Amino acid sequence: MENRNIVIGIEGTVGAGKTSICRQLLGKVENSIILHGGNIYRAIVYGIMQTHKNNIELRNIDAFEIMEQLEIDIRLENRETVVYMKGKKVQEKDLQSDKTSMSVSKVSNVANNKKLYQFGKKLIDEFRKKYNVILSSRDIMKMYPDVTYHFFIDASIDERTNRKYIQYNKEIEKDTIRKMIEERDKLQEKTGYYKIYPETKIIDVTNCKTIEESTEKVFQNIERVPCVK
């Protein structure tokens, strides 16, 4: 018997607005939660940085084993997953910092992710028993091939630079942000995170003036779900 709940997978290029779209979808998809899969990896890398292990040989890293060592715990709060490390909540600003973001792109390119993906699949399956899952992550088709919808959000490099510039409160020069995005794009593509599958629907949000407009472009492709009226 088919599971009545669905999984909406959201991937995309750096700075295209994936997280904002996921949060807008919460208001459109009934009985839904967001699983911030990417934040699990960010927490692992952030933990490595905090415990001064950034000099270890990256190719020896097993992402799941590091996760266990750091006592990373995923909890659901206000319909979104949050990350705890050794019993203390990790703040979003620390997970999303430019330093953490760049380190994630580098580590994920060489680390062993097999057991972490297995953990991710089990986590998704557990949440799916009760909720429609909006999954924001990388490598979704490899980690969770049973995803109901797979969207890849994209925008021009100029538009993504502008959005990151605003996200960082205009405290970082645009040229610096652009270079950072281009470098992360190269690392993500090398890792295979930008792979487009036959099931993937590419959503270009370059010309969308608001996050609501971007979200609507995604939402109009979703059919098998009770929607908020």
Side-chain angles (χ1 to χ4, degrees), residues 20-223:
S20 297
I21 288 173
C22 286
R23 287 182 171 139
Q24 285 291 315
L25 284 173
L26 274 180
K28 289 179 169 289
V29 179
E30 186 177 284
N31 189 39
S32 62
I33 62 163
I34 300 176
L35 172 51
H36 294 287
N39 277 358
I40 300 175
Y41 217 112
R42 286 174 177 272
I44 291 170
V45 174
Y46 176 73
I48 292 173
M49 293 163 58
Q50 292 298 108
T51 54
H52 307 290
K53 293 182 180 178
N54 50 316
N55 292 322
I56 64 176
E57 174 55 53
L58 295 181
R59 293 184 185 279
N60 293 332
I61 288 180
D62 184 306
F64 182 71
E65 289 181 2
I66 295 293
M67 175 182 167
E68 288 189 315
Q69 290 171 17
L70 294 169
E71 298 178 29
I72 291 175
D73 183 30
I74 312 304
R75 306 180 190 179
L76 188 62
E77 296 179 2
N78 299 317
R79 297 177 67 192
E80 299 186 37
T81 56
V82 295
V83 178
Y84 280 76
M85 187 182 302
K86 297 185 183 297
K88 183 178 180 180
K89 187 175 180 179
V90 183
Q91 298 302 312
E92 184 77 7
K93 63 180 179 63
D94 295 320
L95 294 174
Q96 297 294 333
S97 71
D98 57 325
K99 184 177 180 181
T100 302
S101 297
M102 184 57 71
S103 297
V104 165
S105 296
K106 292 177 180 178
V107 173
S108 63
N109 193 42
V110 295
N112 183 341
N113 299 317
K114 183 178 179 180
K115 286 188 285 186
L116 182 65
Y117 283 7
Q118 291 172 349
F119 167 81
K121 184 181 184 304
K122 290 180 181 178
L123 191 63
I124 297 165
D125 281 336
E126 283 301 310
F127 281 129
R128 191 177 188 178
K129 291 176 182 178
K130 295 182 179 180
Y131 308 102
N132 291 306
V133 180
I134 301 166
L135 174 63
S136 174
S137 190
R138 298 289 188 189
D139 229 4
I140 290 175
M141 293 300 297
K142 186 181 292 184
M143 176 178 64
Y144 198 79
D146 293 331
V147 64
T148 316
Y149 297 100
H150 185 237
F151 296 106
F152 188 89
I153 314 300
D154 197 12
S156 69
I157 184 65
D158 288 338
E159 180 63 22
R160 291 188 286 140
T161 298
N162 287 333
R163 293 180 185 184
K164 281 292 184 183
Y165 181 61
I166 294 172
Q167 180 183 332
Y168 292 141
N169 298 316
K170 303 182 180 180
E171 295 175 354
I172 304 176
E173 294 293 331
K174 281 190 176 182
D175 285 346
T176 301
I177 294 174
R178 185 187 182 97
K179 289 177 182 177
M180 180 185 72
I181 290 176
E182 289 174 339
E183 184 176 352
R184 288 185 61 198
D185 275 345
K186 289 178 182 177
L187 288 168
Q188 303 278 31
E189 190 168 0
K190 183 179 179 180
T191 308
Y193 289 170
Y194 286 179
K195 183 176 181 179
I196 302 301
Y197 294 82
E199 301 89 344
T200 307
K201 176 71 176 180
I202 301 173
I203 307 292
D204 191 314
V205 296
T206 301
N207 297 319
C208 294
K209 302 302 181 184
T210 64
I211 189 61
E212 288 81 8
E213 188 177 344
S214 297
T215 305
E216 187 57 34
K217 290 193 72 171
V218 174
F219 188 66
Q220 65 186 11
N221 290 280
I222 299 173
E223 301 172 357

